[in-house]
Amino acid sequence: RTIGDRIGEAKASGNLGNTLKILGQFDEAVVCCQRHLDISREQGDKVGEARALYNIGNVYHAKGKHLSWNTAQDPGYLPQEVKDTLQKASEYYERNLSLVKELGDRAAQGRAYGNLGNTQYLLGNFSEAIAFHKERLAIAKEFGDKAAERRAYSNLGNAHIFLGRFDVSADYYKKTLQLSRQLKDQAVEAQACYSLGNTCTLLQDYEKAIEYHLRHLVIAQELGDR
């Protein structure tokens, strides 16, 4: 501010916003991220504007998740305050998405699609969540981003469960399992086995369910995860 560097001030405000978000000071975080957004617009900095929109989305997303922890309900059954907060997150992600499309930034589009999928899932809009996660998946494959691909499969599996499409969920969870083994991520492998065990139970394939739950148990013991 002293040297009149507006872009520098915008970036610093954005960093402050992200830090306050991590500290759980969501309202202060929004103020800082909004300053990042306002200055970026004033300076005609489209990249900064896109980043600020994404960051504000993240703050509302984090606040929504934080508020919903106290309710511990299924997606879609949320108090109005939580719904409103997640709806705001979704709106900012949408605005970010349209701007990064304009900028031709595919990686940023992938991030926006993933977060839109997650917010719609929490809001109980499972079909919308699936559409967004499929877009996320396509971009992850485009970049060869195996970790993002794995997350997309997992999220697609979760959303299909709530639509009662257990067989489709099982297919997605199997892909999650395959990739977690490729990535040598045992914690995620255990999680995939747990999801597959539950899905096989819903499909009444109890032998398979037991197999997956035993695998989950073995990994949990290996990791010393009580």
Side-chain angles (χ1 to χ4, degrees), residues 163-181:
L163 293 177
R165 299 182 193 145
F166 306 136
D167 49 343
V168 181
S169 285
D171 289 340
Y172 280 124
Y173 288 143
K174 280 173 191 163
K175 286 176 173 161
T176 307
L177 181 58
Q178 216 177 334
L179 275 175
S180 64
R181 283 176 178 160

Side-chain angles (χ1 to χ4, degrees), residues 193 197 207-221:
C193 289
E207 291 299 319
K208 265 274 177 255
I210 289 168
E211 244 174 73
Y212 284 122
H213 284 310
L214 281 172
R215 179 77 193 123
H216 177 211
L217 178 62
V218 168
I219 299 173
Q221 286 169 340

Side-chain angles (χ1 to χ4, degrees), residues 108-202:
Q109 287 170 45
R111 288 192 291 275
Y113 280 126
N115 281 320
L116 276 163
N118 291 335
T119 48
Q120 290 305 311
Y121 172 81
L122 290 172
L123 285 163
N125 304 329
F126 304 114
S127 300
E128 288 89 334
I130 286 165
F132 285 129
H133 284 311
K134 280 184 173 168
E135 294 283 359
R136 176 67 191 110
L137 179 62
I139 295 173
K141 284 179 172 174
E142 215 174 281
F143 280 89
D145 183 342
K146 293 287 182 193
E149 191 182 332
R150 200 270 310 149
R151 285 195 301 274
Y153 284 135
S154 184
N155 289 328
L156 282 162
N158 294 343
H160 278 93
I161 288 281
F162 283 96
L163 293 177
R165 299 182 193 145
F166 306 136
D167 49 343
V168 181
S169 285
D171 289 340
Y172 280 124
Y173 288 143
K174 280 173 191 163
K175 286 176 173 161
T176 307
L177 181 58
Q178 216 177 334
L179 275 175
S180 64
R181 283 176 178 160
Q182 265 183 42
L183 294 163
K184 296 186 168 45
D185 187 334
Q186 277 205 297
V188 172
E189 185 184 338
Q191 214 175 0
C193 289
Y194 172 77
S195 298
L196 273 164
N198 289 340
T199 311
C200 288
T201 301
L202 291 167

